[in-house]
Amino acid sequence: MNSKRILNFLKDVAANNNRPWFQEHKDEYDAIRADFEDGVGKAIARLSAFDSEIAHLSVKDCVYRFYRDTRFSPDKSPYKRHLGAYICAKGKKALRGGYYMHLEPGNCLLATGSYWLPTNILTSCRNEIMANEEQWLSIVENRSFVRLFGKPGAGKWEQSERGFGLEMLKTCPSGFPRDYAHIEYLRMKDYCCWRQVPDTFFDGDDWLDEAAKVFKVAKPMMDFMNAVIDDYE
């Protein structure tokens, strides 16, 4: 991808987030969108080498709309300030965990897993952790995972270079033992991990191998939770 061109356009959108300006620059949007979608297509192919469950996906299944839904938002800006794609076996609207790519000036990142899980599924995920504690800890406390993503709740989305868990409960979730030795994993309100990357990360095609390395480390955590989530979808 030509990430410099993509990010420069996104900077211009942030400074001119209105329909008249966008219509005047629609050709440039179409060009950077096509470049991004080509990159997503290559990512699907690359990740399919170690995750066959996503091999059937098309680019359309994964890329999010650039136009914002402003109906319930105080921010009426019509366009997003980033490009995003969620490579998930059951589609970008699924609860199931997947691989997320995010291009935004100063906040490019890779993420893996699930977020905004309903309470009943979260409860099942927490029970699964307790029932298979040794397996879970071997996944999320190994050196590679901690180096890339850190410990639960240590990072904040858009504020930290890495993170594991977007939100945490302040106390033990209802119905679980407060003295559980690994309570931090039960306090998590999602099972998503992420890593920020430089704005130059997506240049060319070499990023595909680097992204695959990050996603491979995160995949066992995602698989552990998907085994639970799949029972509900």
Side-chain angles (χ1 to χ4, degrees):
M1 283 189 284
N2 185 342
S3 61
K4 183 176 180 180
R5 182 180 182 182
I6 292 172
L7 295 173
N8 281 340
F9 180 80
L10 293 173
K11 289 178 184 177
D12 289 340
V13 170
N16 304 275
N17 206 320
N18 61 78
R19 289 182 176 83
W21 182 91
F22 188 81
Q23 289 304 314
E24 290 179 10
H25 298 82
K26 185 65 163 50
D27 289 346
E28 179 65 6
Y29 167 72
D30 290 340
I32 65 106
R33 176 83 175 192
D35 189 13
F36 178 67
E37 291 183 350
D38 179 68
V40 173
K42 291 177 179 178
I44 294 170
R46 180 65 183 84
L47 302 184
S48 294
F50 62 84
D51 189 345
S52 60
E53 290 185 319
I54 64 169
H56 68 283
L57 293 172
S58 68
V59 170
K60 185 178 180 180
D61 295 325
C62 304
V63 176
Y64 287 110
R65 286 169 49 86
F66 191 61
Y67 304 90
R68 295 182 64 248
D69 183 352
T70 62
R71 290 174 298 171
F72 308 108
S73 173
D75 179 4
K76 299 303 179 183
S77 302
Y79 309 107
K80 296 177 180 178
R81 296 165 178 81
H82 66 272
L83 292 177
Y86 190 46
I87 303 174
C88 174
K90 294 190 177 180
K92 56 181 177 281
K93 295 183 179 181
L95 293 173
R96 191 179 212 267
Y99 311 98
Y100 179 62
M101 298 164 42
H102 183 97
L103 270 71
E104 180 181 4
N107 188 39
C108 293
L109 55 85
L110 304 171
T112 309
S114 303
Y115 64 105
W116 293 349
L117 292 172
T119 301
N120 62 324
I121 299 181
L122 270 177
T123 297
S124 293
C125 289
R126 291 161 178 158
N127 282 325
E128 190 72 11
I129 288 172
M130 294 187 68
N132 297 280
E133 178 185 295
E134 185 175 346
Q135 179 188 359
W136 173 252
L137 294 179
S138 71
I139 291 169
V140 299
E141 294 193 354
N142 73 70
R143 183 177 301 177
S144 295
F145 189 93
V146 174
R147 177 179 58 83
L148 280 174
F149 308 115
K151 293 287 188 174
K156 299 294 183 184
W157 187 264
E158 296 185 347
Q159 297 177 13
S160 307
E161 68 173 14
R162 63 180 183 170
F164 181 31
L166 298 172
E167 293 187 35
M168 303 280 289
L169 293 172
K170 293 181 179 180
T171 60
C172 176
S174 176
F176 288 86
R178 294 180 179 275
D179 60 350
Y180 180 59
H182 306 286
I183 192 68
E184 67 273 20
Y185 296 113
L186 306 187
R187 289 175 51 230
M188 297 175 73
K189 296 177 69 174
D190 60 83
Y191 293 95
C192 171
C193 58
W194 73 91
R195 181 82 186 190
Q196 283 196 344
V197 295
D199 282 2
T200 56
F201 178 83
F202 293 98
D203 286 343
D205 288 332
D206 290 344
W207 66 270
L208 291 164
D209 288 337
E210 294 305 310
K213 291 177 185 178
V214 173
F215 288 141
K216 275 185 176 180
V217 173
K219 184 177 183 294
M221 183 278 295
M222 179 184 73
D223 289 344
F224 185 99
M225 289 308 175
N226 279 345
V228 178
I229 297 168
D230 283 349
D231 288 340
Y232 294 85
E233 287 197 311

